[in-house]
């Protein structure tokens, strides 16, 4: 991702954090993570994240999705080194979030995977979150999520986050891509 686009993404995220009345320190504002998953199409597939804490026991984050933006399908798997996978709770703070998880497919879903990437989206049970709603994902659950037309701010409370171990359905994805 180019530096100019990275900086614009941070500014867009700050706008939505403000709409959700999320107060961030100056350091947190400067350290907003911008992930385009190395797909080069941040407007369709990406996410911005502020991590408050990430220890061996717990993690707390604020995530922003721009209008219609998708965080691609992935799973937080257990490893042979003793990591049990990540349990996470999403709580919607602003906008609307369409969360898709393993399970009985929902007919006539509100969100659609990015055009051309549909084969990488198999989790089809829809959960709709509006401000105040929350949903807990167990470890080893395939999931993806997309913002409604206003964008979305989501708080995440979880066990330890080890993003570098996330497994994505789309093999092109690099979870921690570089900024040019």
């Amino acid at each position: 991702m180019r530096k100019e686009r990275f900086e614009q993404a941070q500014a867009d995220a700050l706008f939505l954090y403000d709409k959700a009345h999320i107060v961030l320190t100056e350091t947190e504002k400067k350290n907003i993570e911008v992930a385009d998953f190395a797909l080069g199409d941040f407007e369709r597939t990406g996410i911005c994240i502020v991590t408050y804490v990430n220890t061996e026991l717990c993690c707390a984050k604020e995530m922003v999705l721009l209008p219609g933006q998708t965080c691609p399908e992935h799973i937080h798997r257990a490893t042979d080194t003793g990591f049990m996978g990540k349990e996470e709770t999403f709580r919607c703070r602003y906008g609307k979030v369409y969360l898709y998880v393993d399970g009985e497919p929902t007919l006539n879903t509100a969100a659609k995977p990015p055009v051309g990437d549909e084969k990488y989206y198999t989790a089809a049970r829809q959960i709709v979150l509006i401000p105040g709603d929350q949903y807990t994902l167990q470890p080893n659950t395939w999931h993806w999520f997309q913002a409604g037309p206003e964008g979305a701010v989501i708080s995440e409370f979880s066990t330890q986050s080890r993003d570098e171990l996330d497994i994505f359905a789309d093999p092109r994805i690099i979870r921690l891509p570089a900024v040019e």
Side-chain angles (χ1 to χ4, degrees):
M1 173 180 278
R2 292 195 168 310
K3 188 175 192 311
E4 299 81 26
R5 183 61 191 108
F6 176 86
E7 290 170 349
Q8 183 59 55
Q10 285 185 319
D12 294 343
L14 286 170
F15 176 76
L16 288 175
Y17 284 133
D18 188 56
K19 288 188 84 86
H21 306 288
I22 302 293
V23 178
L24 301 173
T25 67
E26 289 305 312
T27 300
E28 290 165 339
K29 291 175 184 179
K30 290 177 188 166
N31 291 323
I32 295 172
E33 176 189 351
V34 177
D36 74 348
F37 302 101
L39 296 177
D41 194 1
F42 180 74
E43 286 70 26
R44 285 191 334 150
T45 306
I47 194 166
C48 293
I49 303 170
V50 170
T51 301
Y52 297 128
V53 63
N54 188 22
T55 69
E56 289 185 21
L57 299 176
C58 68
C59 180
K61 299 178 181 182
E62 299 290 354
M63 303 183 292
V64 163
L65 292 173
L66 302 178
Q69 192 176 44
T70 302
C71 181
E73 187 166 316
H74 63 286
I75 192 169
H76 310 289
R77 287 229 169 148
T79 68
D80 57 5
T81 61
F83 181 62
M84 295 177 57
K86 181 169 77 167
E87 176 184 274
E88 60 188 333
T89 298
F90 289 167
R91 184 174 178 91
C92 182
R93 300 293 187 181
Y94 172 82
K96 189 177 282 188
V97 181
Y98 302 103
L99 171 63
Y100 295 88
V101 299
D102 290 333
E104 186 68 31
T106 301
L107 301 177
N108 302 316
T109 59
K112 303 290 182 219
V115 174
D117 294 340
E118 296 89 350
K119 67 183 174 184
Y120 303 120
Y121 292 81
T122 61
R125 178 176 162 233
Q126 176 179 273
I127 293 120
V128 179
L129 303 174
I130 59 172
D133 289 346
Q134 66 185 42
Y135 184 84
T136 300
L137 293 152
Q138 295 303 308
N140 304 305
T141 302
W142 283 100
H143 61 286
W144 61 281
F145 47 105
Q146 187 175 88
E150 298 174 340
V153 177
I154 308 126
S155 295
E156 176 194 310
F157 310 99
S158 70
T159 55
Q160 183 183 39
S161 181
R162 298 180 66 186
D163 293 340
E164 71 281 4
L165 299 179
D166 291 352
I167 298 170
F168 288 85
D170 184 342
R172 302 171 299 166
I173 288 177
I174 298 171
R175 173 58 185 90
L176 303 172
V179 176
E180 296 176 17

